[in-house]
Amino acid sequence: MKQTVLRYGAYGALTICVLFIISWYALGNLSMSVQELLGYVSIIVSLSFVFFGIKHFRDRENEGKVSFKKALIIGILISIITALAFGLLDVLYTEVLNPEFMDT
């Protein structure tokens, strides 16, 4: 279970960070409402790894069965890894890369 959580948490973290950086560099001239929408889409895409992580655990590591409690724990742990990575990137962005973000 630990390997599944770490692997799919890393996939989700990498996805959210890459999509954030791409939207910052390539799509920075779009309106704030469009950027907000793209931000929500990137969150949904990165958290889709929760589904894939639980499915991988069920099919490959647990002989096709998983209890609700175990699936919930796996999903929460994958989400925490993804959220922590995005939180660190967000702090880096607002403090170092674009400190005037809150003013705009």
Side-chain angles (χ1 to χ4, degrees):
M1 180 175 95
K2 182 179 178 182
Q3 289 290 17
T4 300
V5 168
L6 291 176
R7 178 184 305 138
Y8 285 93
Y11 291 161
L14 183 65
T15 302
I16 193 74
C17 291
V18 166
L19 290 174
F20 178 82
I21 291 170
I22 288 172
S23 69
W24 181 48
Y25 279 118
L27 307 173
N29 55 358
L30 296 174
S31 70
M32 283 295 222
S33 61
V34 173
Q35 289 181 9
E36 181 182 12
L37 180 66
L38 291 174
Y40 287 127
V41 168
S42 66
I43 289 170
I44 291 169
V45 168
S46 67
L47 288 178
S48 68
F49 286 103
V50 170
F51 169 76
F52 294 120
I54 293 170
K55 186 175 181 326
H56 172 80
F57 179 78
R58 182 195 69 194
D59 294 343
R60 305 271 170 108
E61 295 181 26
N62 210 28
E63 301 172 3
K65 297 180 204 171
V66 66
S67 68
F68 178 77
K69 180 181 175 185
K70 184 69 85 172
L72 183 64
I73 291 170
I74 291 170
I76 288 172
L77 292 174
I78 292 171
S79 298
I80 287 173
I81 292 171
T82 303
L84 286 174
F86 182 69
L88 291 173
L89 180 64
D90 193 40
V91 167
L92 177 73
Y93 176 74
T94 57
E95 296 294 323
V96 177
L97 299 175
N98 190 7
E100 56 277 339
F101 173 75
M102 293 301 189
D103 296 333
T104 56

